[in-house]
Amino acid sequence: MFKKKECVAMLLAGGQGSRLYALTTKTAKPAVQFGGKYRIIDFPLSNCINSGIDTVGVLTQYQPLVLNEYIGNGQPWDLDRVWGGVTVLPPYQGQKSADWYKGTANAIYQNMKFINRYDTEHVVILSGDHIYKMDYAKMLAYHKEKNADCTIAVIEVPLEEASRFGIMSAYEDGTIYKFSEKPKNPDSTKASMGIYIFRRDKLEKYLTEDDADPNSSNDFGKNIIPNMLAAGERMFAYAFEGYWKDVGTISSLWEANMDLLGKKPVLDLSSRDWKIYSRHSAQGPQFVGSDAKIENCYITEGCEIYGSVKNCVIGAGVKIEAGAYVEDCVLMGDMTIESGADVRYSIIDAGVSIGANAKVGAPRESAKGVTVIGEGVEIKSGAVVEDGAMMSDSN
């Protein structure tokens, strides 16, 4: 008889990620590469195991192939367990019907059997598109101390940005008395991080009621949280003060990568006290040519740098030829930038080739936006890719 689990994590990783455009035409958003040798999903998975949570359900739907292969048996995150570990949960055909996940709440509802098989007391709901380090065990301890039905992680944001988020209004003891989804005139700066801990019985009750409501959007923020508040359930805000970034847009993904740079980076992935694990295939060391110029860059192993790079995050297997200039870029890996090419303020996906003397993007100060080149695109010699352009091989 396997013992019950105190806490099970459910990781929502099925979103299309349409705001990442060319980066998600072939892969789910949580599988998008980040920081040279990671993928976005590495962060919540690593947070789980570092927090002592060894049972994780990953709910997939949109373009799941790369994500499924990447997760595999969960070994890189120490989640290859006989009882528990990581389990990929795609939509499936039941006895009565088969349906895609209709919303975040519906996705969890369709997988209550997975949760219930562990007879767990608490359920952590996580999003697959955030970059952060967080000890969920501390949040769980707070949740239990407050005898909460639902605890929601919040982070302070500037008042002028609060209208972009779901905003929690709470008393000094943390009790939530109001929730506003992207309010025009926010009365609080406590933004929901999309991280919830529920008592399992309460979660199942409200998900069941939500599924029976034909007018529901089947969404935690739009339906479950407001319904629980209206019913007077014990709901508390858990204040988080560390680094957290929603990388659901091109600009935020670029910014989060840039946060790795500098002598004292805002986001430090080299720290050993909270390791971020990944399924990164080991490659040979970096090679830097005698005439190469490198300034403020994060360079993964397996790269060859002969040209000039400045303020860049460079993934494994990138070759930058002599005479090429690359600045303010995220290069995701396995690509060649040929001699004379000029690449600025861009995110370049894996498998891209940029021909000799091509020009991609523009200096950040004058650019219309981040230029994005999707996986496998070939930029021919002498070609010009305008700043702010989005290119994929389906163009």
Side-chain angles (χ1 to χ4, degrees):
M1 181 71 180
F2 291 108
K3 67 177 183 178
K4 65 185 291 183
K5 300 281 186 180
E6 181 187 30
C7 186
V8 166
M10 300 295 280
L11 176 51
L12 296 161
Q16 183 174 351
S18 58
R19 293 179 298 165
L20 291 182
Y21 304 101
L23 300 179
T24 51
T25 56
K26 297 181 180 179
T27 186
K29 180 165 54 174
V32 169
Q33 295 189 52
F34 177 83
K37 60 181 179 181
Y38 302 94
R39 294 182 186 264
I40 296 170
I41 200 169
D42 288 330
F43 290 82
L45 287 178
S46 298
N47 288 339
C48 283
I49 200 64
N50 288 335
S51 302
I53 298 173
D54 65 4
T55 305
V56 185
V58 180
L59 288 73
T60 63
Q61 181 159 281
Y62 172 79
Q63 292 281 24
L65 180 60
V66 173
L67 185 59
N68 292 353
E69 287 181 343
Y70 186 74
I71 294 171
N73 67 354
Q75 185 272 333
W77 308 273
D78 192 24
L79 288 169
D80 52 337
R81 306 296 178 98
V82 174
W83 180 240
V86 66
T87 303
V88 174
L89 300 168
Y92 62 92
Q93 182 169 351
Q95 225 173 5
K96 296 180 181 178
S97 64
D99 206 352
W100 293 109
Y101 297 145
K102 291 177 283 189
T104 54
N106 178 258
I108 301 298
Y109 174 74
Q110 288 196 40
N111 288 284
M112 280 307 303
K113 285 184 179 178
F114 172 83
I115 295 170
N116 289 336
R117 75 193 297 248
Y118 295 103
D119 194 22
T120 184
E121 295 178 44
H122 310 284
V123 182
V124 183
I125 309 293
L126 305 170
S127 296
D129 54 0
H130 299 153
I131 302 294
Y132 66 113
K133 297 179 179 182
M134 182 177 181
D135 190 344
Y136 304 137
K138 290 182 179 179
M139 183 177 173
L140 180 59
Y142 175 87
H143 173 77
K144 290 158 63 177
E145 175 193 330
K146 295 293 187 180
N147 191 28
D149 297 313
C150 173
T151 300
I152 301 172
V154 298
I155 191 166
E156 292 287 343
V157 297
L159 183 61
E160 60 271 17
E161 294 182 19
S163 59
R164 294 172 42 221
F165 298 92
I167 296 296
M168 302 288 167
S169 300
Y171 298 119
E172 285 191 13
D173 70 347
T175 301
I176 298 169
Y177 63 85
K178 181 182 176 184
F179 171 68
S180 305
E181 182 68 29
K182 298 181 179 179
K184 290 183 179 179
N185 299 300
D187 59 5
S188 167
T189 54
K190 298 182 188 302
S192 170
M193 298 168 64
I195 300 168
Y196 314 112
I197 298 181
F198 291 90
R199 272 180 45 190
R200 182 185 54 148
D201 57 344
K202 292 290 185 180
L203 176 65
E204 188 163 17
K205 173 183 185 295
Y206 282 92
L207 289 179
T208 302
E209 292 174 358
D210 180 72
D211 186 68
D213 179 2
N215 299 314
S216 175
S217 299
N218 306 122
D219 184 83
F220 277 100
K222 294 176 182 176
N223 305 108
I224 304 299
I225 302 305
N227 290 348
M228 291 185 72
L229 270 175
E233 303 290 4
R234 291 180 59 79
M235 305 183 72
F236 287 83
Y238 175 77
F240 176 72
E241 297 180 349
Y243 180 94
W244 178 82
K245 194 85 157 183
D246 181 339
V247 289
T249 66
I250 291 296
S251 59
S252 62
L253 179 62
W254 182 88
E255 289 166 5
N257 274 277
M258 293 300 113
D259 286 341
L260 297 169
L261 302 180
K263 291 182 179 179
K264 292 185 178 180
V266 179
L267 175 60
D268 183 8
L269 298 185
S270 64
S271 170
R272 294 186 176 274
D273 60 350
W274 197 268
K275 187 173 171 63
I276 301 300
Y277 302 92
S278 73
R279 189 181 293 280
H280 175 63
S281 57
Q283 299 199 29
Q286 303 93 333
F287 181 83
V288 178
S290 57
D291 295 324
K293 294 180 181 178
I294 299 174
E295 181 180 344
N296 191 35
C297 290
Y298 190 101
I299 302 176
T300 310
E301 58 264 34
C303 293
E304 297 179 49
I305 311 294
Y306 302 95
S308 299
V309 288
K310 180 179 180 181
N311 300 334
C312 292
V313 174
I314 304 177
V318 172
K319 181 178 181 180
I320 300 175
E321 294 185 354
Y325 184 82
V326 186
E327 182 176 357
D328 293 327
C329 288
V330 178
L331 309 180
M332 291 186 172
D334 297 318
M335 71 183 70
T336 299
I337 300 178
E338 296 182 3
S339 179
D342 188 297
V343 185
R344 315 276 186 120
Y345 193 36
S346 298
I347 298 178
I348 315 291
D349 207 344
V352 170
S353 62
I354 298 178
N357 302 309
K359 294 190 180 299
V360 177
R364 185 184 172 200
E365 298 75 20
S366 60
K368 300 170 187 172
V370 183
T371 303
V372 179
I373 310 296
E375 180 184 349
V377 170
E378 179 185 0
I379 307 297
K380 297 188 179 298
S381 296
V384 176
V385 179
E386 298 293 335
D387 52 306
M390 302 279 172
M391 291 186 66
S392 68
D393 65 2
S394 60
N395 288 154

